[in-house]
Amino acid sequence: MDVNQYLEIFLDETKEHLENLNAQILQLEQEPEDVGTINEIFRAAHSLKGMAGTMGYKRMQKLTHDMENVFSEIRNGTMKVDSNLIDTLFQCLDALEEYNNTIQETADEGTNDNQALVSKLNEYLKGVSKDAAVSVPTKASPVLPDTSEEKWTDIKVGESELSVLTEAQKSGKNIYGLTVYISEACFLKAARAFLVYKAIEEKAEIMVSNPPAQDIEDEKFELDFSLIVISDHPLEEILSLAGSVSEIERVLGGVYKLPEIREPENVETAPEVEQNQNVPSVAAQPAPAKNVDKKALGKPVVNRTVRVDIEKLDVLMNLVSELIIAKNSLVSASTDERSSNSGFNEQIEYLESVTTNLHESVMKVRMVPIESVVNKFPRMIRDLSKKLDKKMELYMSGEETELDRTVVDEIGDPLMHLLRNAADHGLEPAEVRVQRGKPEVGSIFLEAYQDGNNVVIEVRDDGSGIDVEAVKQKGIDRGVITPEQGESMSEKDIINLLFHAGFSTSKQITDISGRGVGLDVVKSKIESLSGEVEVKSKMGEGSTWIIRLPLTLAIIQALMVTVGGEKYALSLGNIQTIEDISPDEIKLVQNREVIHLRGTVIPIIRLNEELDIASSKSSDENLVVVIVKKGENLAGLVVDELMGQQEIVIKSLGKYISKCKIISGATILGDGEVALILDANALI
Amino acid sequence: MEELKTIGTNVLEENSVYETFQYIVIKLGSEQYGIDIRYIDNIVRMQHITRVPKVAEYLKGVINLRGEVIPVMSLRLKMELETDEITKATRIIILKLEQHGTIGIIVDAVKEVVTLGINEIEKVTYDAKEDGLNFVNGIGKKGDELISILDLNVVALEK
């Protein structure tokens, strides 16, 4: 075992603590007097320090140590929270995040000492040091441990160990007993215990462990373990070392008296021992109860998460895919032989329900709330507010909405961009807002919710909205459209120009947004996740950016069709209706074929032409037209025949065949044949 | 393993630099080509290939190989020879390449596995006058027969 094994845990936890700190410090700014918040901050900072220390990241430890000092002063009420202090603290968090990123890449914290930040923190500390001197001693005096919980006194020492211990004692070394209590919320007790071991081994030699080291490694222990160690160092040093490991509730310890030495003093120590044995039955009970109380008050919502290697999930996912393929072959076998055997069909139905359930539960494992991504946004808006000198407030809802892990990881940047856009371009400066009769403080809303098979994320602001004329003018200036085109374009089409590469309407370029590389990147990112983005805007009232993402990526319901004898799959999510159209209903508008269907004119796309294949139908036969929807655009896809609906597993075509845009993937049919999946979005 | 090592060192002593490579010999028309066995994942019989529209002509489409979708190309078309004639001997060789991932190539027939020492392979040098791709990066000599060693990275290169 070595520390590297815990690097991943360290990184994950550091990230969590940092997120927590970000949120809590933001709250602290709002309610500087709230004791709960500052305690939470203190706890997180303390854990961070301990973790950095045990992993040997000295610079990180130093910075968190100084931050902790500041928090301690705030907690004692000797330091006032002001906006400057909060700024500095946020800078510290950024620095810590940088350390974390460096560690993630190189397993080393790098060489940046962040001296400026450290000295800034110390300045704050100096400002209060005079008053603080009074309060420190009371805090520093160690709380006398409850003897009943010092379980190390119960350790039974074997003969061989005893001789070593006696030897050590003779040579003038100290023998201590320790009992370590791990916090109840800890998931990786064994790892924690190992870190404690590791910490203690720096200053002492571990002689006896109860339960044995092997059991601890296998996590065969409750929340505590006891050790007997030999050391040259004072007890306090060892206690603080062990206590610096995060998620350690407390460490108790004392000088261990060897049984042989105790024997001559039998008369003296006997009552003490007896007391030790009696007390537990009385004192042990109230103590844990107190613990539970404290936990319930301090952190009511403990996010019970399981960290699962995404690779393992992929394997599971593949297994499910194969199961579905097996099911599909059964289905095709049953239809081939035209057997009306009801038992067989029953089996298929059963298999179908099993696979659907399995699929759902596996997908659920992959789902994570978008919380982890959106949590950093309040902080970002606060920074932006300062930078842009505009007053704004971010309102978020639906943070608990769940999305596929891979999507959640990718969605952060596009959202951040849209929020920045809203803050920079959307919201007007305060004086303009007042003139327009709006509240001085601008509002930005980030809302996420599930809508059928999609997850919708909306970024809305109550700012000035999109100036369609300005966008049109810009488009003409940039040569994206001609003035004639501009005349005939609808408002919506013009707004969509914003997603055109190299298009930025900001009159002056700021470093927040407006480099002209933003929105087209947002669009392509979301499209790469099989999602879509649209924007609605009303001049003077604000704009709304709507991102739609599919819930799952791997398995979809599809309509199977044939074109020129080849089988293709169309995602059911895009399909509106299926129509039977006679050839003379097709009209030509601007040299494009359209049909007039229930009041709407819909352009039609002949799939056989798109796919470079001859249609198997003659031109005077009725056409089968699948009406698909992309955003608010409709189109009719002409196919030869419909085969039916099927649940299909999406397989990648691999990077070797990536040039074909209208094909989004492939699937394996029941008979083992490969069918291609048509991307209706790319066709329209 | 132990044995192999000693043989290896003996050979080394006899012949200062003597490395051996194994090649699968395939037939393409009347010519024989060698494919480095380290890059071969599998050899399968000809099967139904699903056409993919709007890709280069030599890309014949995709096949299902134990649940994975694998692109397949025609080596003949890639090398600008006449179109494949599918016979009973036709095989698809599945290659696993670092750069290009897994791809299948259609060959007329698979003949045998040969072991060639580095001294049995002659490096080919090309004149700059040919602007086509050089698919062959060496000629192996086994008895009277000549085997052109395919440069798989060139084979997999997209045009």
Side-chain angles (χ1 to χ4, degrees):
Chain A
M1 277 176 121
D2 75 303
V3 187
N4 271 338
Q5 195 179 339
Y6 296 111
L7 194 60
E8 238 169 82
I9 303 169
F10 169 78
L11 288 171
D12 270 356
E13 284 191 358
T14 310
K15 232 177 247 168
E16 256 168 44
H17 282 308
L18 283 177
E19 261 170 34
N20 192 6
L21 277 173
N22 258 319
Q24 298 289 346
I25 292 178
L26 212 56
Q27 204 180 339
L28 184 72
E29 195 181 24
Q30 306 290 320
E31 305 160 24
E33 306 298 328
D34 189 51
V35 185
T37 314
I38 184 66
N39 277 340
E40 179 70 37
I41 292 173
F42 191 79
R43 220 172 298 152
H46 185 78
S47 310
L48 261 183
K49 183 180 87 169
M51 278 160 41
T54 26
M55 297 296 287
Y57 299 126
K58 294 275 182 277
R59 292 183 180 87
M60 209 169 159
Q61 191 186 9
K62 169 91 181 90
L63 185 58
T64 37
H65 175 80
D66 289 340
M67 283 171 75
E68 197 188 336
N69 284 346
V70 170
F71 294 138
S72 157
E73 297 304 333
I74 299 173
R75 187 164 68 163
N76 296 340
T78 46
M79 194 189 278
K80 276 274 162 288
V81 179
D82 60 31
S83 164
N84 279 338
L85 177 62
I86 297 278
D87 280 344
T88 314
L89 289 175
F90 275 138
Q91 281 164 18
C92 292
L93 292 184
D94 289 341
L96 288 175
E97 205 172 323
E98 206 153 288
Y99 280 136
N100 205 33
N101 289 341
T102 322
I103 291 166
Q104 187 160 21
E105 275 157 30
T106 61
D108 190 84
E109 60 176 337
T111 51
N112 191 353
D113 279 322
N114 282 306
Q115 204 48 54
L117 280 174
V118 170
S119 51
K120 233 184 197 171
L121 286 175
N122 284 327
E123 260 168 50
Y124 280 109
L125 286 172
K126 262 182 220 152
V128 292
S129 61
K130 283 168 213 155
D131 325 324
V134 194
S135 64
V136 168
T138 49
K139 199 163 55 86
S141 68
V143 187
L144 272 174
D146 193 341
T147 43
S148 67
E149 290 180 328
E150 300 205 7
K151 295 193 179 169
W152 54 269
T153 48
D154 301 338
I155 295 184
K156 289 189 179 63
V157 182
E159 250 172 60
S160 58
E161 284 109 9
L162 202 61
S163 63
V164 179
L165 287 173
T166 338
E167 206 56 41
Q169 196 170 43
K170 271 185 198 151
S171 63
K173 290 190 177 178
N174 302 317
I175 300 170
Y176 305 122
L178 301 170
T179 300
V180 180
Y181 284 87
I182 294 176
S183 141
E184 244 173 277
C186 177
F187 293 116
L188 290 157
K189 289 188 290 178
R192 287 292 164 228
F194 169 72
L195 289 177
V196 172
Y197 259 62
K198 190 96 187 157
I200 293 173
E201 273 171 355
E202 273 176 36
K203 295 270 160 101
E205 196 184 336
I206 296 173
M207 283 313 300
V208 189
S209 166
N210 180 35
Q214 190 56 46
D215 285 1
I216 290 179
E217 209 173 294
D218 297 341
E219 223 163 284
K220 284 185 199 150
F221 67 107
E222 295 294 308
L223 290 172
D224 62 272
F225 60 94
S226 303
L227 302 168
I228 292 176
V229 303
I230 305 174
S231 174
D232 305 323
H233 298 268
L235 178 63
E236 284 71 36
E237 247 177 63
I238 294 168
L239 287 181
S240 73
L241 261 179
S244 66
V245 176
S246 70
E247 290 190 289
I248 295 300
E249 192 122 309
R250 65 214 146 116
V251 185
L252 306 174
V255 177
Y256 186 80
K257 288 182 186 129
L258 290 172
E260 264 139 327
I261 302 164
R262 219 159 46 180
E263 228 163 7
E265 314 166 33
N266 211 357
V267 193
E268 263 185 38
T269 47
E272 203 182 303
V273 174
E274 221 171 68
Q275 202 184 23
N276 278 355
Q277 281 162 347
N278 281 341
V279 173
S281 55
V282 188
Q285 235 141 11
K290 228 190 287 169
N291 271 351
V292 173
D293 271 7
K294 203 169 70 190
K295 205 130 278 158
L297 287 174
K299 214 183 171 192
V301 197
V302 179
N303 206 1
R304 284 230 163 250
T305 55
V306 187
R307 292 207 178 89
V308 187
D309 191 345
I310 203 118
E311 238 166 83
K312 282 179 197 156
L313 285 178
D314 287 345
V315 172
L316 202 55
M317 213 51 229
N318 280 341
L319 284 175
V320 177
S321 338
E322 300 216 357
L323 201 56
I324 291 173
I325 292 165
K327 179 205 78 182
N328 287 350
S329 32
L330 261 179
V331 172
S332 74
S334 74
T335 47
D336 277 352
E337 289 169 24
R338 294 167 170 259
S339 58
S340 55
N341 191 335
S342 66
F344 187 57
N345 283 332
E346 230 168 72
Q347 283 306 313
I348 291 177
E349 269 165 38
Y350 175 64
L351 186 61
E352 198 151 353
S353 83
V354 170
T355 49
T356 311
N357 286 342
L358 187 56
H359 171 210
E360 253 168 44
S361 49
V362 174
M363 282 324 295
K364 266 184 205 141
V365 179
R366 288 180 62 101
M367 302 286 253
V368 288
I370 60 165
E371 209 176 351
S372 57
V373 174
V374 300
N375 269 356
K376 62 182 180 206
F377 292 142
R379 155 87 199 279
M380 188 187 87
I381 291 295
R382 178 191 177 275
D383 289 355
L384 281 178
S385 168
K386 293 222 156 180
K387 211 169 201 170
L388 295 166
D389 201 19
K390 287 181 190 174
K391 282 184 187 159
M392 59 184 87
E393 199 70 59
L394 176 69
Y395 301 94
M396 298 202 295
S397 71
E399 296 102 315
E400 71 287 345
T401 312
E402 291 192 326
L403 266 174
D404 196 279
R405 170 80 198 253
T406 45
V407 178
V408 169
D409 287 348
E410 298 285 313
I411 198 70
D413 284 348
L415 282 182
M416 185 158 82
H417 197 93
L418 291 180
L419 285 171
R420 286 183 162 181
N421 244 354
D424 195 15
H425 301 315
L427 296 178
E428 315 92 327
E431 39 305 354
V432 180
R433 289 185 68 87
V434 174
Q435 267 175 30
R436 291 184 181 172
K438 291 182 189 178
E440 199 185 351
V441 180
S443 309
I444 299 174
F445 300 87
L446 180 68
E447 285 161 3
Y449 54 92
Q450 195 173 332
D451 176 25
N453 229 358
N454 287 309
V455 165
V456 180
I457 305 176
E458 284 186 19
V459 176
R460 186 154 48 90
D461 65 68
D462 67 346
S464 55
I466 295 168
D467 185 345
V468 179
E469 280 308 307
V471 173
K472 194 202 280 182
Q473 196 51 48
K474 199 84 175 180
I476 294 168
D477 291 351
R478 292 273 160 105
V480 180
I481 50 166
T482 61
E484 295 78 47
Q485 274 177 320
E487 286 312 308
S488 62
M489 277 171 92
S490 70
E491 203 164 285
K492 225 177 75 203
D493 288 341
I494 293 170
I495 289 176
N496 277 337
L497 281 179
L498 290 172
F499 293 113
H500 202 282
F503 198 99
S504 176
T505 54
S506 178
K507 291 192 181 77
Q508 68 217 93
I509 287 171
T510 65
D511 62 339
I512 291 144
S513 61
R515 276 160 304 207
V517 289
L519 285 172
D520 61 310
V521 177
V522 169
K523 189 180 162 84
S524 61
K525 185 102 211 174
I526 288 166
E527 281 178 356
S528 74
L529 298 169
S530 308
E532 46 187 56
V533 56
E534 60 176 314
V535 54
K536 285 180 182 158
S537 178
K538 198 152 190 202
M539 192 69 184
E541 283 176 29
S543 21
T544 310
W545 303 80
I546 303 161
I547 298 173
R548 269 170 207 284
L549 294 161
L551 264 182
T552 71
L553 296 177
I555 299 174
I556 57 165
Q557 289 287 341
L559 176 73
M560 301 300 299
V561 299
T562 60
V563 180
E566 292 176 340
K567 292 170 186 166
Y568 290 94
L570 274 165
S571 164
L572 216 55
N574 289 327
I575 297 175
Q576 292 285 303
T577 54
I578 298 168
E579 307 289 339
D580 185 37
I581 305 282
S582 107
D584 44 76
E585 280 179 66
I586 295 176
K587 307 275 181 325
L588 278 181
V589 173
Q590 287 181 325
N591 223 9
R592 289 189 66 188
E593 288 183 306
V594 297
I595 47 172
H596 195 236
L597 191 72
R598 292 184 284 276
T600 17
V601 176
I602 300 168
I604 64 166
I605 297 163
R606 287 179 186 266
L607 277 186
N608 64 307
E609 285 168 17
E610 295 290 326
L611 300 169
D612 305 322
I613 196 166
S615 169
S616 59
K617 277 185 150 183
S618 58
S619 57
D620 54 348
E621 276 180 88
N622 270 10
L623 303 160
V624 182
V625 181
V626 181
I627 310 291
V628 292
K629 188 180 180 188
K630 177 199 183 185
E632 275 168 26
N633 300 322
L634 292 172
L637 306 178
V638 181
V639 302
D640 288 353
E641 261 173 81
L642 300 172
M643 285 169 65
Q645 185 185 332
Q646 203 174 50
E647 193 174 49
I648 59 165
V649 179
I650 302 179
K651 301 266 180 186
S652 159
L653 277 179
K655 36 187 173 166
Y656 203 78
I657 306 186
S658 52
K659 285 204 178 123
C660 188
K661 274 213 155 173
I662 54 173
I663 305 293
S664 62
T667 188
I668 296 167
L669 300 176
D671 57 3
E673 215 177 287
V674 181
L676 301 177
I677 302 167
L678 289 172
D679 183 358
N681 288 338
L683 280 166
I684 297 175
Chain B
M1 195 64 202
E2 205 61 21
E3 215 174 54
L4 268 176
K5 249 185 215 159
T6 46
I7 291 172
T9 42
N10 282 345
V11 169
L12 210 73
E13 274 162 20
E14 280 170 30
N15 210 328
S16 54
V17 212
Y18 192 85
E19 274 184 275
T20 62
F21 298 101
Q22 281 191 305
Y23 294 93
I24 287 203
V25 180
I26 56 135
K27 287 190 90 172
L28 217 56
S30 52
E31 280 192 61
Q32 297 194 101
Y33 292 92
I35 297 174
D36 194 329
I37 211 161
R38 288 174 299 174
Y39 298 111
I40 296 182
D41 180 63
N42 208 337
I43 299 175
V44 295
R45 282 176 192 281
M46 195 60 191
Q47 52 178 282
H48 175 83
I49 299 178
T50 303
R51 185 185 69 97
V52 178
K54 306 233 188 284
V55 288
E57 199 196 352
Y58 63 84
L59 279 171
K60 300 306 282 183
V62 288
I63 56 162
N64 164 21
L65 184 75
R66 291 189 305 266
E68 287 301 311
V69 175
I70 313 278
V72 173
M73 70 151 101
S74 158
L75 194 52
R76 276 173 169 272
L77 290 179
K78 180 87 186 202
M79 293 170 86
E80 286 161 5
L81 305 170
E82 64 270 40
T83 6
D84 298 80
E85 206 176 290
I86 310 299
T87 65
K88 270 189 177 169
T90 307
R91 293 285 183 278
I92 302 174
I93 298 187
I94 312 293
L95 301 174
K96 249 201 172 114
L97 302 174
E98 268 169 39
Q99 260 183 302
H100 303 278
T102 309
I103 38 172
I105 56 173
I106 304 170
V107 300
D108 287 356
V110 174
K111 225 182 122 195
E112 61 186 336
V113 180
V114 295
T115 306
L116 293 175
I118 200 154
N119 56 351
E120 289 173 290
I121 301 171
E122 211 165 276
K123 288 273 162 222
V124 249
T125 46
Y126 273 93
D127 300 342
K129 64 177 180 185
E130 279 186 78
D131 14 282
L133 295 163
N134 302 332
F135 292 99
V136 174
N137 62 0
I139 307 280
K141 287 169 284 183
K142 195 81 188 171
D144 300 340
E145 288 179 25
L146 292 180
I147 300 158
S148 315
I149 311 294
L150 285 174
D151 184 340
L152 295 179
N153 278 323
V154 178
V155 169
L157 210 66
E158 278 174 86
K159 265 191 268 189

